[in-house]
């Protein structure tokens, strides 16, 4: 099957559940206030990318980025409540090439595309998967390639080994992602195997999904591979969860591209972002950011537009 996932995309477990709760209360609400961003340095500007940027963004000095914060390790808060994460760092590197600030602003994922359509934001950078369906509305500047993984309690009490072991089980996913659609794609195989389809709960936040697994309300969280890996490494000092390793799918199930979402009418902005991203890749910054978050396995070979299919 050719399934695609979120984003998104998109888990809030930092060093411990206690930290998660603190961040959820203090830094992760519905506010769309901009997060602090780096001031562009003239020495970092890529001339071709900056020249391609539409005048209105040059004049403003800012590209407003819609982002469903937090979604570690793509976007998250550190112990000082400063925004960090792969998307944030990459956005700053791209902004430096363009000579403007890429200003991440919190936006709930289920309303993130409408936020562009209303003019509230200019682009989306939130671990969003590049899918054919989304390409009807957006163009994607793709920067990441990964599949989805299954996150379970440490010790794997239900002995899950593949996605089909989730048949008949309670499974949780984040609302407004396409994880539920992916899992429903296995309904027929579940039935043919003598089981029943998965019982899928769609919850508002990835934190809620992980809480459901912790409390036993769900046997697994199905989420992007980078998200699952980070949660397994950090939650409860790395003792709370584990990622199911399926030898037949070492990079996760159904790898897809993740990209910066831009409205189709803003094609000049898309082109400028493409040039800036390729420049970040060419100078080695891209690989450094990947390595910082231990995500080198998910690198895109080169920048591209609408690579998802």
């Amino acid at each position: 099957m050719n399934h695609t996932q979120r984003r998104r995309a998109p888990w809030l477990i930092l060093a411990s559940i206690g930290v998660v709760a603190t961040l959820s209360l203090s830094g992760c609400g519905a506010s769309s206030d901009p997060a602090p961003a780096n001031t562009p340095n003239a020495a970092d500007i890529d001339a071709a990318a900056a020249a391609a940027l539409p005048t209105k963004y040059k004049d403003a000095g800012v590209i407003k980025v819609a982002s469903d914060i937090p979604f570690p390790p793509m976007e998250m808060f550190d112990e000082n409540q400063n925004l960090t994460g792969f998307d944030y760092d990459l956005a700053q590197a791209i902004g430096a090439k363009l000579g403007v600030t890429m200003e991440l602003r919190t936006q709930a994922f289920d309303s993130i595309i409408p936020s562009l359509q209303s003019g509230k934001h200019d682009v989306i950078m939130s671990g969003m998967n590049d899918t054919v369906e989304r390409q009807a509305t957006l163009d994607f500047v793709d920067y990441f390639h990964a599949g989805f993984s299954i996150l379970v309690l440490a010790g794997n009490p239900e002995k899950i080994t593949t996605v089909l072991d989730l048949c008949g089980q309670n499974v949780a996913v984040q609302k407004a992602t396409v994880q539920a659609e992916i899992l429903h794609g296995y309904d027929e195989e579940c039935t043919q195997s003598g089981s029943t389809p998965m019982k899928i709960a769609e919850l508002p936040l990835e934190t809620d999904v992980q809480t459901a697994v912790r409390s036993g309300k769900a046997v697994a969280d199905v989420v992007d591979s980078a998200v699952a890996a980070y949660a397994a490494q950090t939650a409860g000092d790395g003792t709370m969860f584990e990622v199911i390793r399926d030898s037949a799918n070492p990079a996760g199930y159904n790898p897809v591209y993740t990209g910066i979402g831009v409205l189709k009418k803003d094609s000049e902005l898309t082109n400028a972002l493409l040039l800036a991203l390729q420049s970040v890749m060419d100078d080695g910054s891209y690989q450094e950011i990947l390595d910082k978050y231990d995500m080198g396995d998910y690198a895109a070979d080169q920048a591209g537009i609408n690579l998802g299919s």
Side-chain angles (χ1 to χ4, degrees):
M1 290 180 293
N2 184 23
H3 294 306
T4 53
Q5 60 269 20
R6 184 195 191 187
R7 136 244 222 263
R8 174 167 202 79
W11 16 306
L12 174 58
I13 297 281
L14 298 184
S16 69
I17 294 301
V19 173
V20 170
T22 300
L23 296 184
S24 296
L25 291 172
S26 62
C28 310
S31 171
S32 61
D33 292 340
N38 297 330
T39 301
N41 186 327
D44 296 326
I45 294 175
D46 180 281
L53 187 67
T55 301
K56 73 173 186 176
Y57 302 107
K58 295 177 186 177
D59 291 346
V62 173
I63 296 174
K64 295 175 289 185
V65 183
S67 191
D68 182 16
I69 306 167
F71 190 63
M74 308 305 280
E75 40 269 333
M76 56 190 175
F77 295 97
D78 65 17
E79 63 276 9
N80 297 315
Q81 297 296 288
N82 295 317
L83 188 60
T84 185
F86 179 79
D87 278 344
Y88 175 78
D89 288 358
L90 185 59
Q92 302 317 300
I94 290 171
K97 296 295 184 183
L98 295 169
V100 299
T101 298
M102 295 279 282
E103 189 177 81
L104 270 68
R105 299 180 171 207
T106 301
Q107 181 68 42
F109 196 74
D110 59 2
S111 58
I112 207 164
I113 293 177
S115 81
L116 264 62
Q117 295 169 321
S118 70
K120 181 179 179 181
H121 300 113
D122 302 314
V123 303
I124 296 167
M125 200 164 181
S126 191
M128 176 175 273
N129 292 155
D130 173 0
T131 68
V132 172
E133 293 77 14
R134 287 174 177 153
Q135 286 175 18
T137 305
L138 304 173
D139 284 325
F140 287 90
V141 180
D142 292 318
Y143 61 86
F144 197 69
H145 191 241
F148 73 87
S149 291
I150 301 167
L151 188 71
V152 300
L153 288 176
N156 191 12
E158 300 298 325
K159 307 303 179 189
I160 305 298
T161 59
T162 75
V163 67
L164 291 179
D165 289 334
L166 298 177
C167 294
Q169 303 270 28
N170 292 312
V171 179
V173 301
Q174 185 179 357
K175 184 181 179 181
T177 70
V178 298
Q179 307 291 6
E181 179 184 346
I182 292 170
L183 295 180
H184 280 305
Y186 291 97
D187 286 355
E188 185 176 347
E189 289 180 73
C190 288
T191 302
Q192 289 176 347
S193 70
S195 185
T196 57
M198 302 169 207
K199 292 168 277 189
I200 302 166
E202 297 184 65
L203 305 177
L205 299 173
E206 179 59 21
T207 43
D208 301 325
V209 177
Q210 292 181 7
T211 297
V213 176
R214 289 175 49 232
S215 66
K217 293 181 179 178
V219 301
D221 172 6
V222 175
V223 67
D224 290 358
S225 293
V227 176
Y230 186 81
Q233 292 165 5
T234 59
D237 294 326
T239 63
M240 186 169 296
F241 298 116
E242 67 179 74
V243 179
I244 300 305
R245 304 295 180 186
D246 184 345
S247 59
N249 297 275
Y253 294 93
N254 308 105
V256 297
Y257 284 95
T258 291
I260 304 169
V262 188
L263 291 176
K264 286 191 171 295
K265 68 180 180 65
D266 295 327
S267 58
E268 291 182 349
L269 175 58
T270 298
N271 184 57
L273 290 167
L274 178 71
L275 293 172
L277 173 59
Q278 189 61 55
S279 182
V280 171
M281 290 179 169
D282 291 344
D283 72 10
S285 302
Y286 174 70
Q287 190 61 49
E288 290 177 4
I289 297 169
L290 283 165
D291 291 344
K292 176 180 177 180
Y293 296 98
D294 194 25
M295 298 198 300
D297 289 343
Y298 309 128
D301 294 334
Q302 63 180 22
I305 295 177
N306 295 341
L307 300 176
S309 60

